[in-house]
Amino acid sequence: MSIPKEKLLWMYETMVKSRYYEEMLVEAYAEGKKPVFNIGAGPVPGEMHLSNGQEPAAVGICAHLTKDDTVASPHRPHHHAIAKGVNLNRMTAEIFGKETGLGKGKGGHMHLFDPEVKFSCGGIVAAGIPQAAGAALAAKQKGEDWVAVAFIGEGAANAGAFHETLNMAALWKLPLIVVVENNSWGISVPKTASTAIASNDKRAAGYDNTMGYHVKDNDPLEMYRVSQQAVERARRGEGPSIIEIETYRFLGHFQGDPELYREKEEVPSLRERDPIDRLRINILSEGIASENDINLLENKAKSEVDSAFQFARESEYPRPEAALEDLFC
């Protein structure tokens, strides 16, 4: 299966945008938190979970989605949000706690909601899977060919919500795709010490009407190909799928993580296999685009990110009394 040129270039541009976005977040998050780390200080207080290195999981499947398809993301959401087309200005403002944010500055980086493109995320492990299944059920009830995607970490595949939801989705043949981003670490616990199966896609065999796919070596091209099969299958009403991609994060579980659980050589060796560099080399070697074309894409992506951060910094904070608005019980 050949990948259309426009899709390849979109994937590359989006991966660059996601990477640069999080590099900017690293700097913004560190403001006011030195020399002694204070999680509540600076313009971006609270925890921060970044996904540098995991971009192929997002672009590979979002390349096949439309605005009508749903994405539910976990606590490491930025690459998914950017690939799904979430408004970059409003997302950044939300992370900075500004009133122009997606949630008027009340949600922060783990609670991003953009109904315009059917994107949401949350901080509770595995909670997005049943939510995505709800969207998949709605699509089936309405007779639409919409697809719902739930991104999770490999640790979340051991949660009850994973198995309970897939059981129901298989029974009802829901258009649900669960993407397991296997970065080898559940916070500081290695997958080998927590999961009694080599790859979570094999768990699809436990449910009728369910397909399992495995993507090795953080490969964005293979993720695209596998995702196309899963998405087309879902749109035909043939049931759910599980995709596990072997990916990795260059940074800690959270910003400020001392990463004492990792060998010092791990991250440098992973960076030698940077998926963005590999995709760039592939595009150039195949003659899909020139160096100048690539540079233009990179500059465009970085310009959008710079504008979003400027928008966020210049936006106003919510009024104190706004804390009592938009509530429900």
Side-chain angles (χ1 to χ4, degrees), residues 128-265:
I129 312 173
Q131 293 169 1
L137 177 60
K140 184 165 186 175
Q141 295 285 67
K142 288 174 175 287
E144 302 286 355
D145 68 347
W146 304 335
V147 171
V149 176
F151 288 97
I152 62 171
E154 83 286 343
N158 296 325
F162 175 89
H163 302 281
E164 293 162 14
T165 304
L166 279 165
N167 180 68
M168 184 180 70
L171 276 172
W172 295 347
K173 298 178 74 171
L174 298 183
L176 172 69
I177 301 170
V178 179
V179 177
V180 183
E181 292 180 275
N182 173 18
N183 63 24
S184 299
W185 295 101
I187 307 180
S188 59
V189 179
K191 181 185 176 185
T192 53
S194 66
T195 304
I197 195 165
S199 180
N200 285 294
D201 57 286
K202 297 183 184 300
R203 287 175 155 161
Y207 309 99
D208 287 345
N209 310 313
T210 305
M211 286 294 293
Y213 304 90
H214 190 79
V215 178
K216 295 182 179 179
D217 196 27
N218 210 22
D219 184 351
L221 304 182
E222 184 62 17
M223 185 63 187
Y224 177 96
R225 297 183 185 102
V226 159
S227 296
Q228 181 171 2
Q229 296 175 48
V231 169
E232 290 178 352
R233 184 174 175 276
R235 293 201 198 283
R236 292 193 299 266
E238 295 176 8
S241 296
I242 302 169
I243 302 172
E244 176 161 300
I245 176 171
E246 297 174 6
T247 188
Y248 39 77
R249 51 175 167 83
F250 293 150
L251 304 175
H253 173 70
F254 58 90
Q255 289 304 99
D257 179 0
E259 301 184 66
L260 300 178
Y261 50 89
R262 298 216 274 197
E263 297 292 336
K264 291 183 179 180
E265 300 79 16

Side-chain angles (χ1 to χ4, degrees), residues 10 14 58-59 61-63 65-72 77-87 114-120 147-149 151:
W10 175 86
T14 305
V59 298
I61 191 164
C62 287
L65 303 182
T66 71
K67 288 180 67 174
D68 290 325
D69 298 317
T70 295
V71 166
H78 308 132
H79 55 320
H80 309 142
I82 291 170
K84 188 60 169 71
V86 170
N87 185 289
D114 190 349
E116 291 297 316
V117 294
K118 293 187 178 180
F119 177 88
S120 67
V147 171
V149 176
F151 288 97

